[in-house]
Amino acid sequence: MKFPHPLTLLCGCVLLAAAASHVLPPGQYDRRDDPATGRKVVVAGTYHAVAARPVGPFQALVAIPRGMADAAAVIFFVFLIGGAFTVVDETGALRQGVDWLVRRFGHSEALVVPAASLAFALGGVLDNMKEEIIALVPVMLLLARRLGYRPVVAVAMSLGAAAVGAAFSPINPFQVGIAQQLAQLPLLSGWLFRIAFLAAALGIWIWGTWRYAARTRTPPSTQPGSTGGTLDGRRGAVLTLVLVTFAALVVGVLRFGWGFNEMAALFFAMGVVAGLVGGLGVGGTADALVAGFRSMAYAALLIGFARAIFITLEEGRIVDTIVHGLVHVPVPSPSGHAVLTLPILVPLADLLGLSRQVMVLAYQYGGGLCELFTPTNGALLAILAAAQVRYEDWLRFALPLLLTLLALGAGAIGLGVAIGLQ
C-alpha cells in the first residue's frame, strides 16, 4: 500500500478534525495566567461542556488559509532561509566547503555521522532546535550525497538527533523547563538522572543512524561544481559569513529572545551579503533568492496545512476534549503540550502517589519522542520535503529506533519510581 502524499494526509486530517467536531462532545478548561511561565495554562478539574460549534466543509477549507496566516512567521522564515542558502550554494561555497570537509576526514568518514548527530543533538538539548534545522538541510544533503549516504541519513543526523536530544534533555527550556515550572519543581532538578539516559538515547540513535548509513551507502560521486583544490578566498569568506551568522543566531535566541522574524531577517541579510561577496552581483543575488523561495514553497505549504488542523479543532471547540483524553497528535508543540496537559497530570500524579518528577519524565519522553513521527508536526514534514524524503521512508527508518527509545524511556520512568526520584 502506497502512503498518501503529505498534502493529501494533512488535508485528510483537516477534514477528519472537522468531522470530529460533529461527533465529539465540545468542552473547555478554564485558563489562568501563570507567572512562572508567562503563559495561559489550564486549570485542573475545570473541564466543562460548552455549546457545540461543529465545523462545516467550507469552514474546514477556510481553516487552511487561516492556518497559513497563523503560521506566517514560520513560513516566511522558511522562505527567507531557503533563499539565503540558495544564494550561498550558487556561489559554490557550499560545495567547496563540503569537499574540503570530506578531504579533511580522510579515512575517518565513519566519524561524520556521530559528529554531525552530536552537534545537532546539542541544539536540541539547549534550545529544542526544530524549524531552525530547515536552514541546514542543503548543507546536510550535500554532505550526505558527497559521502554516498541517502537523504534519510541527512534528516536522521539533523532533525532526528535534535529531537532525541530535546526529548531527553535536562535543560531544554521548552520541554523540561516549562514542565518543571508547572509542576513546581526546582529547575534542573533530576539533571544527573536525565543526563545518564540522554547519553544512552543518543548512543542508540547514533548507532542506528550509522548502521543504516553503512548498510545503504553507495559509492560517492563528485557533485557538479566540486573541486579538488583548497577553498579560495572568495568562497572562504562566504563560508565564514555563514558561520558568523549562526553564531549571531545562537546569541540572539539565547540572550535576546529572538523569534522567527528576527531570525528570518538575519538569514536574509546573510543571503544578500553572501551573494555580493561571492561575486553573484545584485541581479544574480536576486535571481538566486527567488529560486530559493520557489524551492521552499512546498515545505512552507506543509507548515500552514499542519497548523490548519489545530485551527479546525479549536474552531470546533474540541481541542480540550481531545487533551482531556491525553492525545498528543492535535497539539504537536512541546511547550503547548506542557501548558495544556501538565496542570492535569500533576494532580493525577499526586493522587496516585507518584513523584512529580516522574510525571514530568513521562511527559518529556512521550511528547518529545512523538516529534519524530507525528504527521501534524509541520517542521518534520517541511524538513522531509526539503530533503526530498518521503514520509513512509522516514517511518521505515525511524520506527524501530523510536520503539527502542520509548522502551528506554519506560525503563527510565520505572527506575525513577523504584528509586523515588524527586
Side-chain angles (χ1 to χ4, degrees):
M1 237 181 115
K2 190 175 180 182
F3 204 83
H5 189 283
L7 274 181
T8 304
L9 175 66
L10 292 177
C11 284
C13 288
V14 171
L15 294 176
L16 181 62
S21 69
H22 292 265
V23 177
L24 296 179
Q28 286 182 349
Y29 286 99
D30 292 337
R31 284 167 168 74
R32 62 176 176 83
D33 293 321
D34 183 68
T37 61
R39 298 164 180 256
K40 283 189 175 294
V41 299
V42 302
V43 179
T46 61
Y47 179 78
H48 58 278
V50 295
R53 197 165 62 190
V55 177
F58 186 70
Q59 288 175 295
L61 293 176
V62 171
I64 294 174
R66 286 183 61 192
M68 302 288 288
D70 201 52
V74 182
I75 289 172
F76 288 118
F77 171 68
V78 169
F79 275 129
L80 290 172
I81 60 177
F85 271 91
T86 299
V87 171
V88 175
D89 189 39
E90 286 294 319
T91 67
L94 281 182
R95 290 185 290 274
Q96 269 200 0
V98 168
D99 284 346
W100 179 82
L101 278 176
V102 171
R103 288 194 305 276
R104 292 286 294 177
F105 273 107
H107 297 293
S108 303
E109 291 177 357
L111 296 177
V112 171
V113 170
S117 298
L118 287 174
F120 280 95
L122 182 63
V125 167
L126 295 176
D127 195 41
N128 198 48
M129 179 184 281
K130 192 164 55 176
E131 284 88 354
E132 297 87 342
I133 294 172
I134 299 172
L136 290 169
V137 169
V139 182
M140 297 305 295
L141 278 177
L142 275 174
L143 180 61
R145 287 168 178 162
R146 184 66 179 82
L147 294 171
Y149 297 148
R150 293 185 177 180
V152 169
V153 177
V155 179
M157 291 189 295
S158 54
L159 174 68
V164 173
F168 286 84
S169 170
I171 58 176
N172 178 355
F174 298 101
Q175 285 190 4
V176 66
I178 289 179
Q180 286 184 331
Q181 286 178 321
L182 292 173
Q184 298 179 337
L185 293 170
L187 292 178
L188 301 181
S189 57
W191 65 271
L192 192 60
F193 185 90
R194 283 183 170 83
I195 284 179
F197 282 93
L198 170 64
L202 287 176
I204 291 170
W205 185 263
I206 292 172
W207 173 81
T209 303
W210 179 85
R211 184 169 175 268
Y212 176 87
R215 190 173 68 246
T216 60
R217 188 181 184 191
T218 57
S221 58
T222 303
Q223 299 294 318
S226 297
T227 60
T230 57
L231 277 169
D232 61 43
R234 187 186 291 271
R235 292 185 175 94
V238 171
L239 290 179
T240 301
L241 174 64
V242 172
L243 293 177
V244 170
T245 299
F246 274 101
L249 175 70
V250 172
V251 173
V253 170
L254 296 182
R255 183 164 184 179
F256 300 108
W258 280 5
F260 287 110
N261 290 332
E262 291 81 5
M263 291 189 290
L266 177 68
F267 279 109
F268 177 71
M270 181 200 79
V272 172
V273 176
L276 298 177
V277 171
L280 297 183
V282 175
T285 301
D287 288 339
L289 284 170
V290 172
F293 300 158
R294 190 182 302 117
S295 69
M296 283 294 178
Y298 174 43
L301 276 174
L302 292 177
I303 293 172
F305 274 67
R307 184 63 183 173
I309 300 169
F310 179 77
I311 295 289
T312 305
L313 294 171
E314 191 174 46
E315 184 70 19
R317 293 184 170 180
I318 58 173
V319 170
D320 287 5
T321 299
I322 296 174
V323 170
H324 191 59
L326 303 183
V327 177
H328 172 85
V329 171
V331 189
S333 165
S335 56
H337 202 217
V339 168
L340 286 170
T341 60
L342 261 297
I344 304 166
L345 293 177
V346 168
L348 179 62
D350 294 342
L351 182 65
L352 296 175
L354 295 174
S355 80
R356 294 186 174 189
Q357 194 72 261
V358 169
M359 185 58 76
V360 171
L361 282 179
Y363 147 76
Q364 185 183 358
Y365 294 159
L369 290 174
C370 278
E371 297 290 291
L372 287 169
F373 75 94
T374 305
T376 53
N377 181 352
L380 169 63
L381 293 185
I383 290 169
L384 292 177
Q388 297 181 342
V389 173
R390 291 183 62 85
Y391 181 66
E392 63 267 32
D393 292 336
W394 171 250
L395 287 184
R396 272 194 288 269
F397 161 78
L399 274 181
L401 292 176
L402 173 64
L403 294 174
T404 304
L405 291 173
L406 286 173
L408 177 69
I413 293 168
L415 180 61
V417 173
I419 65 176
L421 182 67
Q422 297 295 328

